[in-house]
Amino acid sequence: MLEVVSTPVLLDVSHVSQSYRKGSGEEGPPILDDVSMTLKEGEIVGLLGRSGCGKSTLLRIIAGLAKPTAGEVDFQGQPVAGPVQGVAMVFQSFALYPWLSVLDNVELGLRAQGEAPEETRKRALAAIDLIGLDGYESAYPKELSGGMRQRVGFARALVVDPKILLMDEPFSALDVLTAETLRTDLLELWSEGRMPIKSILMVTHNIEEAVLMCDRILVLASNPGRIASEIKVTLRHPRDRLDAEFRQLVELIYAQMTQRPAPKAAGREGGLAGAGLAMELPRVSTNSLAGLLEELAAPPYNGRADLPHLADALQLEIDDLFPLAETLQLLRFAELEEGDMKLTPAGKRFVEADIDQRKKMFGDHLLANVPLAARIKRVLDERPSHRAPATRFRDEIEDYMSEDYAERTLRAVINLGRYGELFAYDENAQAFSLENPQ
Amino acid sequence: MTRLETIASVGRRALPNHWDVLALGAILAGLVAIVNAFHGMNGPLPAANQPALDLSYWSLPYYALRTVLRMFAALFFSFVFTFTYATMAAKSRRLEIVLIPILDILQSVPILGFLSFTVTFFLGLFPGSVLGGECAAIFAIFTSQAWNMAFSFYQSLRTVPRDLDEVSRGFRLTGWQKFWQLEAPFAVPGLIWNTMMSMSGGWFFVVASEAITVGDTTVTLPGVGSYIAAANDQGRWDAIIAAVVTMAVVILIYDQLLFRPVIAWAGKFRVETTASQVVEQSWALNILQRTHWLRSAYLPLVAALRSAALWRIGAPASFRRRQSAPSSAASRLLDATWIAAVVAAALWALWTVVRYVGTELSWDDALNVVGLTCITLLRVVILMALASAVWVPVSVWIGLRPPIAERVQPLAQFLAAFPVNLLFGGAVSIVLAFNLNPDIWLSLLIVFGTQWYIVFNVIAGASAFPNDLREAAASFHVRGWQWWKNVILPGVLPYYFTGAITASGGSWNASIVAEYVKWKDHTVTAHGVGAYIAEATEKGDFPKIVLGVAVMSVFVTLFNRLFWRQLYAYAERRLRL
């Protein structure tokens, strides 16, 4: 860790791209676009990005679990063509086999390779001991708390003596206290060199977690996933979250991740005019939108808030906060700049309005700023029956995005449109209409 | 048991399509081929030297044992079939195209209609030996279990959670290792549930298949079913009662020593994040797991099996199969060729069937059978409606009272497993004695055994109904019909459909036995396709059997697809709590 200069490269990812595959087998829209990175001995590297930016896909390609449509991954100079020995993975969902006891789960990898039972047992017990699971050997995963389950996940990965440990959001399914304990324990083992691993690659959407653990953070941008920037973290372990330098880094990353995309790629997130139907919408709750505006308007923020603070105060992960913030920006109720969120005059009026006025304003802003909503409304107005099937719009937006995104976008616009009273939607008939039940 | 268990086959796409027609053709052609091959070759079937059946009570335990052995032999073959057929269907895209529609149709074909074909086939295989009859009986039970089990297993294989799959691939488990470490255990809860439900249904078939007449050949296998058939012939009430009691004891033992322990054991294979609220209990399993000497007896066996499960057979899977399915031109050409070959074979098979039936039967016969099937359909629909009208309110009432439900639930499951065809002879004697209209009163027999599926599923649904929803309804004074319509019925509907689908399938099968019943030297028949098939079977008139089975299969398939599955899908989508 101290000597970064001459350390050998363990993993080399060069020009990797990945696309959705449609049902027919054709290539769909890209998930990852020309991603290159390396992993050297002795470092912890973080892949930081929002949900849907392809970071987990990249991790699976590196693990040999998925095949890239283009590009190559080399592990210790050998191309990866399937799961390789020397790489082990820890999962967000723990992925323990519920029918195997803790000990059997940990032994699985070794026994599958035909290791002798005695040797397997010895090594498994050592790993269990190392990770602090003593006494739980005969328990079944169902009996354990989330934190203990993830410890089993770590023991299972470490027991096969991997060179690289891949971690897919390993702490995000845990409560705050448990996650912090596990992070600290892992960093301690890492700093003291008690684990066999040479380096760690972790996927996360938690900015503070990345700054706390990583030596290098690769920030991924979405749609298609690509590496937007690389940030080196040179703070010494154990790092202090309250340290000024730490805070500065966190602020910097927040600012980068909420930056308006360059004009060329505009539309999706910026919501600039002309973006048209290609605009993806995240699924957010209208109550949360209103709540966030109110929070923003009230002291101590008084119309302007620092995003990291806001996230902390509201206990929101970036995957919760960013979609809200961006939807508000899209609807021109708020603006994002330099990692800050600012209420617009319209946003102020919204907060002061009563519930009917709010819905009216919301509907107007939706029509003005979300082309898909405007399109649905216009089609319904034009048709004599004032009804239109959802497939009509789904097909239209699927020209611009994958089926999953199209579905999500449609769901989001239904939700927003219902709140703004622009149109009604009948789930059974899968159709939009203008009238509400009398 | 308050968990909603799904029937393996009903979650699937619903509307019949061209594959179903092709599959039906292939299946019927297979039957015709069997009959042609053996029936034509041997002339009248050689009857085996069968020992006369002894109606003394002391022989009953032995007969019961024989019946049970048949059951387990069939179970063994069902597992072998499930592990191979379902695995092939799940692992190969091309085989899947063929295997799954066939399975789907096989499920809807009335199993008892098969009996005449299989008896012919097996007697031809083992001329002059009881073995042929045994095989036919075992095969009949097999056909009542295997399809459902295979479906369940296939669906589990296709829905292995992605992260668990990634772990096994990450550790480079071979195909064999992955099957036993991940796929088979993951499939256990669904497979076991479906197996146990099929076994409950299987008692009906084992009884029906022990004494059967095809043309001039009568096969009588020692067992409770043939015992009761003999008792019916002689009109001996005491023997009937003795056999019914014996069967009740056997089912009770099966329920306590097999059904419950195995279901409780299967609980540990559930993939769920939190410990389950509902834990199935079994005193037998507790004893097995807690006594020392028993444990030390079976643990070495368990250890041996486990190391066998870790043999490195096969190659580790590399990239995800379905994702990297080759889409090259060559592969697509191969696909097209394969599909063309399958379609051609199926069409040829369909044509063979039509020609075979056409040699002796005319369109009038076909119309007649369609008419008869409509009668049977009407019968099934009315009886199911009646049974529902009676049992849904009762079951809801029971289900909402946990102390009563706890006692009634095992009873309902027991009754569902009990082979009611044991009672048919006795029931018919009453029809005869009071000179009742068989078209009406024989109909009751159709739901005699199957109504219990509705009962225990609805009880389960009502027990699982959330308490807060009940309290909300009470606090808003929702009562009477509104309470049924808006509160409880939507809540139990998914459960009701699960039970009703099983009951409906069972009722079609029962019609073959129930519309044509013998008592002493009387034969009481009702109008319907069931009686048509049963009569043709007795006469050994194979074209008629093929026609009857074919029409019935088409009706059952359409009835399931257009009615039950639509309703079930609706309930799943809208009413799942």
Side-chain angles (χ1 to χ4, degrees):
Chain A
M1 255 194 313
L2 300 171
E3 236 180 315
V4 194
V5 198
S6 62
T7 45
V9 171
L10 271 178
L11 187 80
D12 186 18
V13 178
S14 58
H15 307 291
V16 160
S17 298
Q18 172 77 304
S19 302
Y20 286 104
R21 205 179 284 275
K22 291 187 173 169
S24 52
E26 308 163 42
E27 253 179 49
I31 312 170
L32 288 173
D33 182 31
D34 194 28
V35 173
S36 296
M37 59 161 287
T38 56
L39 189 63
K40 299 187 200 77
E41 241 175 60
E43 63 176 354
I44 303 180
V45 173
L47 295 170
L48 178 65
R50 312 185 18 194
S51 72
C53 72
K55 54 192 192 297
S56 288
T57 309
L58 179 58
L59 199 72
R60 277 167 179 73
I61 289 172
I62 291 170
L65 291 168
K67 189 181 166 146
T69 31
E72 202 180 70
V73 178
D74 287 325
F75 171 62
Q76 293 186 314
Q78 297 293 316
V80 169
V84 284
Q85 202 156 22
V87 176
M89 182 133 141
V90 176
F91 294 79
Q92 179 181 14
S93 58
F94 321 136
L96 303 177
Y97 289 5
W99 43 85
L100 297 182
S101 67
V102 167
L103 186 61
D104 290 332
N105 262 299
V106 175
E107 285 185 352
L108 179 67
L110 288 174
R111 292 203 64 180
Q113 302 311 315
E115 200 75 52
E118 304 77 40
E119 174 69 12
T120 305
R121 182 60 47 96
K122 210 179 81 196
R123 283 169 62 180
L125 288 176
I128 285 174
D129 183 39
L130 179 74
I131 216 77
L133 272 169
D134 269 337
Y136 289 90
E137 289 89 346
S138 59
Y140 283 91
K142 265 175 224 177
E143 304 168 52
L144 303 181
S145 66
M148 279 307 173
R149 284 188 215 181
Q150 193 56 299
R151 282 178 197 268
V152 181
F154 276 112
R156 180 177 65 180
L158 292 178
V159 79
V160 293
D161 275 345
K163 294 254 176 4
I164 299 178
L165 184 65
L166 303 177
M167 307 199 293
D168 185 12
E169 309 210 5
F171 310 112
S172 67
L174 305 173
D175 65 86
V176 180
L177 289 178
T178 309
E180 196 60 14
T181 316
L182 246 68
R183 278 185 208 115
T184 319
D185 286 1
L186 183 72
L187 282 174
E188 222 170 80
L189 290 176
W190 169 256
S191 315
E192 292 165 10
R194 288 167 62 196
M195 291 189 291
I197 44 179
K198 295 273 191 290
S199 64
I200 298 178
L201 180 64
M202 69 182 287
V203 157
T204 178
H205 63 247
N206 184 327
I207 296 175
E208 291 206 11
E209 178 178 284
V211 177
L212 187 76
M213 299 188 69
C214 300
D215 301 307
R216 212 149 45 92
I217 301 170
L218 304 173
V219 181
L220 270 76
S222 341
N223 207 354
R226 60 200 181 279
I227 293 177
S229 60
E230 180 178 332
I231 293 154
K232 285 207 162 59
V233 187
T234 48
L235 301 171
R236 292 177 61 88
H237 288 289
R239 292 171 186 168
D240 178 5
R241 283 172 191 265
L242 299 176
D243 182 59
E245 230 176 312
F246 190 102
R247 297 309 325 165
Q248 230 170 6
L249 270 170
V250 171
E251 296 265 344
L252 175 75
I253 298 175
Y254 262 101
Q256 278 191 5
M257 290 182 77
T258 52
Q259 226 168 31
R260 291 190 180 217
K264 193 169 146 272
R268 269 182 309 276
E269 282 151 24
L272 301 179
L277 299 178
M279 181 193 291
E280 275 172 25
L281 298 174
R283 185 96 207 257
V284 292
S285 137
T286 49
N287 286 319
S288 306
L289 287 177
L292 185 55
L293 283 176
E294 279 165 19
E295 187 73 26
L296 210 54
Y301 304 117
N302 297 318
R304 185 181 187 103
D306 177 47
L307 279 176
H309 269 136
L310 203 58
D312 253 5
L314 300 178
Q315 293 265 316
L316 289 175
E317 297 268 10
I318 64 167
D319 276 343
D320 306 318
L321 181 60
F322 283 8
L324 288 174
E326 279 168 9
T327 307
L328 289 178
Q329 167 164 271
L330 180 66
L331 294 172
R332 318 230 172 196
F333 287 126
E335 273 170 358
L336 292 173
E337 53 180 38
E338 298 288 307
D340 280 4
M341 190 171 174
K342 217 175 75 189
L343 213 57
T344 62
K348 272 205 189 79
R349 279 204 306 282
F350 182 92
V351 172
E352 287 154 8
D354 68 27
I355 192 154
D356 282 335
Q357 288 169 324
R358 278 186 179 189
K359 296 187 85 163
K360 176 81 179 64
M361 272 183 83
F362 194 88
D364 291 345
H365 277 246
L366 194 59
L367 273 185
N369 300 305
V370 178
L372 180 59
R375 164 75 122 247
I376 294 172
K377 173 79 171 153
R378 204 176 63 234
V379 169
L380 291 176
D381 282 339
E382 280 166 5
R383 291 193 175 189
S385 64
H386 300 310
R387 280 180 76 82
T391 45
R392 186 195 178 287
F393 304 107
R394 188 179 290 126
D395 290 347
E396 219 168 334
I397 54 179
E398 268 176 20
D399 291 345
Y400 303 101
M401 57 185 92
S402 72
E403 286 164 30
D404 289 352
Y405 278 110
E407 182 60 31
R408 210 176 65 191
T409 299
L410 207 62
R411 290 273 146 211
V413 88
I414 288 168
N415 183 35
L416 298 176
R418 277 172 167 166
Y419 180 71
E421 296 183 38
L422 291 186
F423 41 75
Y425 179 73
D426 180 351
E427 170 73 35
N428 282 331
Q430 304 254 315
F432 289 95
S433 66
L434 281 185
E435 77 268 22
N436 277 310
Q438 297 305 312
Chain B
M1 199 145 324
T2 51
R3 196 180 272 114
L4 174 58
E5 301 289 346
T6 49
I7 305 171
S9 62
V10 284
R12 300 164 37 74
R13 51 122 187 81
L15 293 175
N17 57 19
H18 53 286
W19 292 112
D20 295 322
V21 179
L22 297 176
L24 184 65
I27 291 163
L28 291 173
L31 297 180
V32 170
I34 289 166
V35 172
N36 272 339
F38 289 93
H39 194 61
M41 202 155 54
N42 296 341
L45 287 170
N49 301 325
Q50 289 150 358
L53 220 72
D54 176 13
L55 278 188
S56 77
Y57 304 148
W58 297 115
S59 45
L60 262 172
Y62 169 71
Y63 287 154
L65 191 65
R66 291 289 295 260
T67 301
V68 170
L69 280 179
R70 253 167 236 136
M71 198 76 178
F72 280 97
L75 191 64
F76 172 77
F77 289 113
S78 297
F79 270 113
V80 173
F81 173 82
T82 299
F83 282 146
T84 50
Y85 192 95
T87 310
M88 282 196 296
K91 302 266 169 184
S92 158
R93 196 166 43 87
R94 295 203 177 100
L95 286 177
E96 190 180 11
I97 299 174
V98 184
L99 297 182
I100 293 307
I102 288 185
L103 203 57
D104 223 4
I105 294 291
L106 277 172
Q107 278 217 104
S108 310
V109 172
I111 296 147
L112 289 177
F114 269 140
L115 216 51
S116 45
F117 297 103
T118 50
V119 167
T120 317
F121 172 71
F122 284 111
L123 288 185
L125 263 189
F126 307 100
S129 152
V130 189
L131 200 56
E134 288 285 1
C135 288
I138 290 168
F139 188 76
I141 308 161
F142 166 85
T143 54
S144 75
Q145 299 170 336
W147 320 144
N148 207 15
M149 290 166 62
F151 244 123
S152 161
F153 196 64
Y154 162 78
Q155 262 163 14
S156 297
L157 290 185
R158 294 295 305 274
T159 52
V160 170
R162 195 182 122 144
D163 53 349
L164 298 187
D165 175 67
E166 284 175 345
V167 169
S168 80
R169 287 190 299 136
F171 284 134
R172 286 169 300 127
L173 265 60
T174 64
W176 170 266
Q177 290 173 330
K178 188 177 164 193
F179 185 81
W180 292 112
Q181 297 296 329
L182 172 60
E183 291 165 334
F186 175 70
V188 159
L191 180 61
I192 290 292
W193 177 256
N194 277 288
T195 305
M196 288 300 141
M197 286 330 271
S198 307
M199 258 190 105
S200 294
W203 295 107
F204 182 92
F205 297 103
V206 73
V207 167
S209 61
E210 281 173 355
I212 184 156
T213 306
V214 180
D216 313 328
T217 316
T218 300
V219 181
T220 314
L221 302 167
V224 180
S226 49
Y227 183 93
I228 214 137
N232 281 349
D233 280 343
Q234 301 176 22
R236 276 196 37 195
W237 278 101
D238 63 314
I240 292 177
I241 292 167
V244 167
V245 170
T246 310
M247 205 62 221
V249 171
V250 168
I251 304 264
L252 192 70
I253 293 173
Y254 148 83
D255 185 75
Q256 290 298 310
L257 292 188
L258 193 71
F259 189 105
R260 272 159 218 294
V262 166
I263 294 276
W265 171 78
K268 99 172 190 181
F269 293 95
R270 272 179 209 288
V271 176
E272 49 195 2
T273 42
T274 49
S276 176
Q277 298 298 313
V278 192
V279 181
E280 285 88 0
Q281 286 294 340
S282 156
W283 58 267
L285 185 68
N286 288 346
I287 289 180
L288 204 59
Q289 290 181 331
R290 287 174 196 171
T291 34
H292 249 297
W293 58 271
L294 262 180
R295 270 175 76 86
S296 56
Y298 70 71
L299 278 183
L301 182 69
V302 172
L305 286 177
R306 286 177 73 170
S307 59
L310 283 161
W311 286 335
R312 294 191 61 81
I313 301 175
S318 58
F319 288 127
R320 199 176 173 77
R321 181 180 55 91
R322 292 201 174 255
Q323 194 183 332
S324 62
S327 57
S328 65
S331 162
R332 252 175 276 164
L333 188 69
L334 203 59
D335 273 1
T337 321
W338 170 244
I339 290 175
V342 168
V343 170
L347 285 178
W348 178 80
L350 200 61
W351 182 68
T352 319
V353 174
V354 172
R355 212 181 40 164
Y356 176 74
V357 174
T359 49
E360 291 177 38
L361 299 173
S362 63
W363 282 107
D364 287 347
D365 290 291
L367 275 180
N368 175 34
V369 172
V370 170
L372 288 174
T373 313
C374 286
I375 296 176
T376 303
L377 173 67
L378 192 68
R379 204 167 265 146
V380 170
V381 169
I382 291 176
L383 266 294
M384 289 288 298
L386 273 179
S388 304
V390 172
W391 288 116
V392 169
V394 173
S395 310
V396 166
W397 188 88
I398 295 171
L400 293 179
R401 285 158 185 79
I404 303 178
E406 248 168 61
R407 264 174 240 162
V408 176
Q409 191 68 316
L411 183 70
Q413 284 181 358
F414 169 82
L415 287 174
F418 189 82
V420 280
N421 37 350
L422 290 178
L423 303 169
F424 283 6
V428 160
S429 75
I430 298 170
V431 171
L432 283 170
F434 292 95
N435 212 358
L436 301 167
N437 181 348
D439 271 327
I440 295 171
W441 294 98
L442 283 187
S443 308
L444 293 182
L445 300 182
I446 287 182
V447 288
F448 233 52
T450 51
Q451 55 192 332
W452 311 114
Y453 289 104
I454 297 178
V455 174
F456 76 75
N457 275 294
V458 175
I459 291 181
S463 318
F465 194 74
N467 213 21
D468 50 351
L469 294 188
R470 278 177 72 192
E471 286 169 354
S475 78
F476 293 121
H477 305 288
V478 182
R479 288 206 199 94
W481 170 238
Q482 206 199 353
W483 183 79
W484 284 96
K485 192 179 119 215
N486 291 335
V487 181
I488 195 73
L489 285 184
V492 298
L493 218 51
Y495 293 83
Y496 168 73
F497 285 142
T498 306
I501 288 171
T502 319
S504 156
S507 299
W508 279 101
N509 262 311
S511 75
I512 296 180
V513 192
E515 290 179 350
Y516 189 86
V517 191
K518 292 188 160 181
W519 173 252
K520 291 192 191 169
D521 36 8
H522 299 279
T523 304
V524 182
T525 46
H527 293 91
V529 72
Y532 181 88
I533 295 175
E535 208 177 334
T537 302
E538 206 169 81
K539 290 186 187 141
D541 189 344
F542 285 98
K544 274 192 175 175
I545 302 175
V546 170
L547 184 65
V549 169
V551 174
M552 194 164 174
S553 306
V554 171
F555 265 67
V556 174
T557 308
L558 289 178
F559 188 49
N560 282 346
R561 298 288 177 78
L562 300 178
F563 186 69
W564 287 122
R565 284 195 196 174
Q566 306 294 340
L567 287 177
Y568 189 81
Y570 170 80
E572 279 288 284
R573 206 170 56 240
R574 304 275 308 164
L575 304 176
R576 198 83 183 243
L577 286 169

